[in-house]
Amino acid sequence: MTTTATRVRATTGGALLVTGRRARLDVGLLIGTAILLTATLVAVLAAPLLLGRTAEVALRESITQAGADAAVVVVAPAPPYPADDALPLAGPQAEAAVLDLMRGMHPATAIAVTPPFAASTGDLKLDVRLVTLDSPASRTAGVRWTVGREPIAILPPPAPEPAADGTPPPPPAPSAQAVEVGLSVAVARALGIDPSAGPVTILLTPGRGEVPPMEAHVTGLYEPVAPDDVQWANAPDLLEAPTDPPRGPVGLYVPPAARADMAALLGATMLAGEAVAVVDVEHLKLADVPELRRSVMSLTSTSPVRTGLPRVLDAFDAHLSATLAQASLVVAGAGATAACCLVLAGALLVERRRSHLSGERARGASLLSVALRSAVESVPTAAVAALVAGGVVAWWLPDGPGSPGLATAITTVAVVAPVLLATRAAAAAWAGRRVPADRRERARLAGLRSARRSVTELTAVAVAVAALVTLRSRGLVPQGSMRTDPLLAAAPFLLALTAALVVVRVAPAVVRLAARWAARSRGLAAPLATSRAQRGATALLPLVTVTVAVALMVLSGVLVQTVHDGQRIAADQLVGADVRLDGALDTDEAREALARLAAADGVEALATGGQMNKRAFGRGSEPVVTVLVVDTVALAEVRRARGLPVDDGLALLTEVAQGRLPVLATPDVLARIDHADGTLLQLLTERVDVDVMATTVLTGDNGAPPADVRAAQATVTGDDGVVVIDTAAAARVTNRLPATTRAWVAGPGAVQAVADLEIADLPGVTVTTVDGWWSAWSRAPLPAALRTLMLVTVGVLAGLAVIALVLVVVATSGERGRTLSTLRTLGLDARTARWATLGELAPLVLGGFVGGTAIGLALPLLLGDALRLTWVTAAPGHVPVSLTWWPVLVAAGALAAALAVAVLVEQAVRRRERLGEVLRVGVR
């Protein structure tokens, strides 16, 4: 045989046989390792997929709740010189055809609407509008005519013929312009209109009494073939009558055959209108979002488009990125902790086989053969675990895209760790180490080893610090949908490694101090524990495992508490009172309702106000500010009753001195103007002299706060700052003020009073309660999923901490058993043995607890805005980190339970051993 063949045979010979025999001896440990690996892989594979499903639900809910703001509307004006054969709705239909080319959208609807008409039929007076619509790409029929007939075009009257003697005919009498229309069955029933006996005429008045008169003939009633078709969402008045006709116009449907008459009624041959398309949320996926946004932005560059869809998608992307940033911390940290446990399991396996590895090495086995035998065992075990985990996840979540990066790393650790540890143990069995006889040379070599260790530790610390500095400076790197920042995901493990290195450096001195105290104690447990604690205090891998577990438990709890408190802060800042009202509050009905609300039981204060955007502040055209026109005294009472901060300057805004209006302004805008001797502020149409009295913490907004992903931008108006003025004071310097569009109500009975007075039923009024908004936002899909993930992770990490301590105890049970067995011959009892085991594990547990707690509490502060807490909480501005102590207590309880379980496992191991056998092994 050749030398190569001999080496190959020596390396591979008997590998399967030896591996099989060893596996049967350690089958329990191998099965436990496989179960741990399988559970870990299922968790790290399923967590992103579940979060992705939740993200899709959140995306659909966000677009649905945005309503008309998420629709894409293309304006199609009537051409000034239309072609003779052009269809009346050709412009909107052409734009609808362009919208139909966009993926992820419902079929677009071309719609044309007339201004409202004051109308009457018999004794019934109402407001109506003519509506015609068409969906070129829709395959469903529009309506089904059930009563009467379908409207058609009205033929012009025949021209009068001249008389027989050639006398020209008299001019025809002016006739009313008319159009045939239809009504839905529901609307006709509500209005009492029945065209079954013939068309019902509705007289139309444009509003200025023009002549000739105009008429709409209701010739039939219809039912929609597909009431849920998206085209009806653009004109809901075609299907349902308004609750009170004076509050909204009734839609009169004009079918295609009568569109020319509708255009003639408006004095044109073509109709101006719009093409409207909404997102198909039922089939929308996360992967479709980038292309959808690009399509909309491309359309806005070529056509007059009115849409808020890009803002909604951008807000969702930022919200998802913030959620993933926090989720990646706990998922990656839990995966790293599980990987450390797998390494500990591999170390236990090698410790159990140390004598066999030494024997193989003594008989001439090469290190490569030792590594091969270990790999023959670890590779199939990891492969089976990976296949089972992949099958479970594929069966459970079949439609997920998957992100196997972390799972691959954990599987690699499970494969490589036993191989490297076995090879290292075999190499150390007969390698030996030469030690110089010269003491100074020994000291020099020891110094070199210490220097190499210090350089390695400082490198690890430098990497962790560099990661933190990078994250704080650049924030999160956009990774696309469902991708996380790898640097952020690695931050907890890097910091935990740094903390473990510090503990390893400090622990020996602490143990020596404890040993001095133990030497003066009367019992045997304390000296025995401290004598054996030195090794446990400097074991890096178990310490890193415990530190990471504790750090992630504390971090998860701190983030849960911070998000909860931040959402409460957001509710207070966005709502600003117990109840907030938004909408048309200047009507007589609204004023009466507000007056009764102010006098209701349980209402302590009520303030009203309005808002103007894009107002020039200063003597130039910039900066532009949001002007809040409010009843400042009442607003101060409202905020004080709610416990919110109150600007001291609000009390100074009621008096006008020398024709100058007192104002408050935000600090950022004040820094841009010279206001020492007064300045100017643009109101509706004029500029007034103002005096800046102080700064304010009040913010502008975009109306009623939404409880979806747009909430984080609810106070973003695009202006440079906020200026606050008093309503009564402003009325003394100008005759024109903005309409009252918001009101704040405070008091223990405010919510009930608003409900009793049915203010939510007022036309165009939205009611928002602080508790209702917080409840809706905290239960939104992504915030709720993030909270659940973190709380579940706390339990998982507690279990991993138990596993880690049990593995450490079992791995060191042989040496400890020989020591305790020897001491048993001298009278050592079981109670003292338990205390000795606890004392031996105490440096590991305490060091991991202290280091992990410090990292868990400091990490949110160190990362700063990299976690993007604003997008998770919706709180405007900086979100303070809530350093609460309940996660620390949970971690302490988990470690205490883990310590108790480890001691019980130690007792179980000791109970099966015979004293004589242990002593004989110890002699060897």
Side-chain angles (χ1 to χ4, degrees):
M1 297 179 63
T2 63
T3 304
T4 303
T6 303
R7 290 178 178 177
V8 171
R9 181 178 180 182
T11 302
T12 60
L16 296 178
L17 181 61
V18 173
T19 302
R21 290 176 178 176
R22 289 179 181 174
R24 284 191 294 271
L25 294 176
D26 298 315
V27 62
L29 180 57
L30 293 175
I31 292 176
T33 303
I35 293 174
L36 175 60
L37 178 59
T38 303
T40 303
L41 294 180
V42 169
V44 299
L45 288 173
L49 298 181
L50 291 174
L51 197 58
R53 283 192 172 186
T54 305
E56 288 187 351
V57 173
L59 174 62
R60 294 164 185 167
E61 287 189 3
S62 300
I63 295 178
T64 301
Q65 293 177 8
D69 191 36
V72 181
V73 181
V74 181
V75 180
Y81 304 103
D84 295 337
D85 58 348
L87 297 176
L89 199 62
Q93 287 175 329
E95 298 295 348
V98 174
L99 289 178
D100 287 332
L101 299 177
M102 298 173 56
R103 295 181 58 184
M105 309 291 286
H106 279 296
T109 301
I111 182 171
V113 181
T114 66
F117 293 96
S120 63
T121 174
D123 296 333
L124 178 63
K125 297 185 181 300
L126 69 165
D127 292 337
V128 300
R129 66 172 186 167
L130 305 182
V131 182
T132 184
L133 48 82
D134 184 29
S135 182
S138 178
R139 299 180 179 179
T140 60
V143 297
R144 181 189 308 110
W145 298 95
T146 59
V147 178
R149 62 173 177 83
E150 181 179 359
I152 59 174
I154 298 178
L155 298 176
E161 298 180 356
D165 58 358
T167 304
S175 59
Q177 290 182 311
V179 61
E180 290 190 357
V181 299
L183 275 178
S184 72
V185 174
V187 174
R189 186 182 299 114
L191 299 178
I193 296 178
D194 184 8
S196 59
V200 177
T201 300
I202 298 178
L203 300 178
L204 307 179
T205 303
R208 296 185 301 272
E210 287 88 344
V211 293
M214 294 182 289
E215 298 175 351
H217 303 304
V218 181
T219 63
L221 306 183
Y222 63 84
E223 292 179 346
V225 175
D228 297 332
D229 194 291
V230 69
Q231 65 176 338
W232 300 112
N234 301 297
D237 52 338
L238 292 181
L239 301 184
E240 298 180 359
T243 55
D244 190 357
R247 294 185 177 179
V250 174
L252 304 180
Y253 174 60
V254 180
R259 286 173 185 161
D261 294 336
M262 176 180 172
L265 201 70
L266 298 176
T269 58
M270 291 188 65
L271 294 170
E274 298 173 339
V276 184
V278 297
V279 180
D280 184 5
V281 294
E282 294 183 0
H283 302 93
L284 184 64
K285 302 291 185 181
L286 286 177
D288 301 332
V289 172
E291 182 180 354
L292 178 61
R293 188 186 185 283
R294 284 194 299 269
S295 300
V296 175
M297 295 306 296
S298 176
L299 184 64
T300 58
S301 62
T302 58
S303 303
V305 178
R306 185 177 69 252
T307 180
L309 182 59
R311 292 193 300 271
V312 175
L313 296 180
D314 290 343
F316 170 78
D317 186 64
H319 181 55
L320 178 60
S321 297
T323 304
L324 289 177
Q326 300 184 40
S328 65
L329 287 175
V330 295
V331 172
T337 306
C340 291
C341 290
L342 291 172
V343 176
L344 290 175
L348 174 58
L349 188 64
V350 171
E351 184 66 28
R352 291 170 61 88
R353 298 174 177 176
R354 187 173 295 275
S355 60
H356 297 284
L357 295 175
S358 299
E360 290 182 7
R361 189 65 172 153
R363 289 190 292 269
S366 66
L367 295 180
L368 184 59
S369 65
V370 173
L372 178 62
R373 294 187 186 102
S374 181
V376 167
E377 183 178 68
S378 64
V379 170
T381 303
V384 171
L387 291 176
V388 172
V392 169
V393 173
W395 168 78
W396 182 19
L397 305 168
D399 300 329
S403 53
L406 181 59
T408 302
I410 295 174
T411 306
T412 303
V413 170
V415 171
V416 174
V419 176
L420 295 181
L421 292 174
T423 305
R424 179 185 177 187
W430 291 87
R433 187 177 65 179
R434 295 181 179 180
V435 179
D438 189 353
R439 183 178 59 184
R440 288 174 296 182
E441 184 66 14
R442 291 198 302 269
R444 187 184 68 83
L445 294 178
L448 290 176
R449 289 193 297 270
S450 178
R452 285 194 293 267
R453 176 186 173 186
S454 298
V455 170
T456 303
E457 294 175 352
L458 290 176
T459 302
V461 173
V463 170
V465 173
L468 281 178
V469 172
T470 304
L471 286 171
R472 287 181 62 88
S473 60
R474 67 160 171 80
L476 292 178
V477 174
Q479 300 288 326
S481 297
M482 295 309 300
R483 294 184 180 180
T484 58
D485 190 340
L487 190 60
L488 179 65
F493 181 78
L494 293 175
L495 290 176
L497 178 60
T498 301
L501 292 175
V502 172
V503 172
V504 167
R505 285 287 188 175
V506 174
V510 177
V511 172
R512 284 194 296 270
L513 291 176
R516 294 177 184 177
W517 169 83
R520 294 192 296 267
S521 63
R522 299 178 60 183
L524 181 61
L528 179 60
T530 54
S531 65
R532 296 191 52 82
Q534 186 72 31
R535 179 178 177 182
T538 56
L540 183 59
L541 181 60
L543 189 58
V544 170
T545 306
V546 176
T547 303
V548 172
V550 173
L552 267 296
M553 280 191 279
V554 175
L555 175 64
S556 299
V558 169
L559 290 180
V560 167
Q561 189 66 41
T562 299
V563 171
H564 176 274
D565 295 343
Q567 290 170 344
R568 279 294 186 184
I569 293 173
D572 285 335
Q573 292 186 354
L574 297 181
V575 179
D578 293 295
V579 183
R580 171 173 168 160
L581 311 177
D582 290 271
L585 300 177
D586 260 352
T587 63
D588 295 336
E589 188 177 4
R591 291 193 188 97
E592 181 183 354
L594 291 177
R596 286 185 287 141
L597 179 60
D601 293 336
V603 176
E604 297 180 355
L606 185 147
T608 58
Q611 179 175 306
M612 297 179 289
N613 295 341
K614 305 299 180 184
R615 302 293 97 183
F617 185 45
R619 303 193 180 276
S621 59
E622 291 185 352
V624 294
V625 296
T626 299
V627 179
L628 298 180
V629 186
V630 297
D631 183 355
T632 55
V633 175
L635 182 61
E637 294 178 358
V638 168
R639 294 181 67 85
R640 195 174 292 111
R642 180 63 191 170
L644 299 175
V646 179
D647 294 324
D648 295 334
L650 287 177
L652 306 175
L653 302 185
T654 57
E655 298 296 334
V656 178
Q658 300 178 354
R660 289 186 173 183
L661 181 66
V663 301
L664 303 181
T666 49
D668 51 352
V669 75
L670 288 180
R672 299 179 56 181
I673 64 170
D674 182 12
H675 58 89
D677 297 325
T679 186
L680 297 177
L681 174 64
Q682 179 189 8
L683 297 182
L684 284 177
T685 57
E686 58 183 327
R687 288 197 174 194
V688 299
D689 293 321
V690 297
D691 279 331
V692 179
M693 310 303 292
T695 59
T696 181
V697 297
L698 299 178
T699 59
D701 53 49
N702 299 307
D708 54 55
V709 297
R710 299 171 296 161
Q713 292 183 317
T715 59
V716 178
T717 61
D719 294 337
D720 299 318
V722 175
V723 172
V724 182
I725 62 176
D726 183 72
T727 304
R732 291 196 287 271
V733 299
T734 182
N735 295 325
R736 298 191 61 187
L737 291 175
T740 301
T741 56
R742 59 202 65 194
W744 299 270
V745 190
V751 176
Q752 187 61 42
V754 170
D756 294 341
L757 295 174
E758 299 180 347
I759 293 181
D761 296 334
L762 294 175
V765 174
T766 302
V767 177
T768 307
T769 65
V770 65
D771 292 332
W773 186 92
W774 173 81
S775 177
W777 177 235
S778 62
R779 295 177 183 176
L782 284 177
L786 181 62
R787 181 175 59 252
T788 302
L789 174 64
M790 290 186 175
L791 294 178
V792 170
T793 303
V794 171
V796 171
L797 290 169
L800 291 176
V802 173
I803 293 174
L805 287 182
V806 168
L807 290 173
V808 171
V809 167
V810 176
T812 57
S813 62
E815 182 181 355
R816 187 185 311 106
R818 290 189 291 270
T819 302
L820 296 179
S821 298
T822 302
L823 293 176
R824 282 170 60 187
T825 62
L826 302 177
L828 180 69
D829 58 354
R831 181 172 177 272
T832 305
R834 285 195 300 269
W835 280 109
T837 304
L838 285 173
E840 182 179 347
L841 296 176
L844 170 62
V845 174
L846 291 178
F849 175 73
V850 173
T853 300
I855 296 301
L857 293 176
L859 189 59
L861 299 174
L862 295 174
L863 291 176
D865 294 333
L867 294 176
R868 293 186 179 181
L869 291 172
T870 297
W871 286 99
V872 180
T873 62
H878 176 69
V879 180
V881 177
S882 300
L883 296 180
T884 182
W885 290 103
W886 68 262
V888 179
L889 298 178
V890 170
L895 287 184
L899 200 57
V901 171
V903 173
L904 292 177
V905 171
E906 169 73 11
Q907 284 184 319
V909 173
R910 297 274 73 78
R911 190 178 300 116
R912 299 177 182 177
E913 293 180 347
R914 297 180 181 179
L915 181 59
E917 291 181 357
V918 174
L919 292 178
R920 283 195 297 271
V921 172
V923 172
R924 295 176 189 173

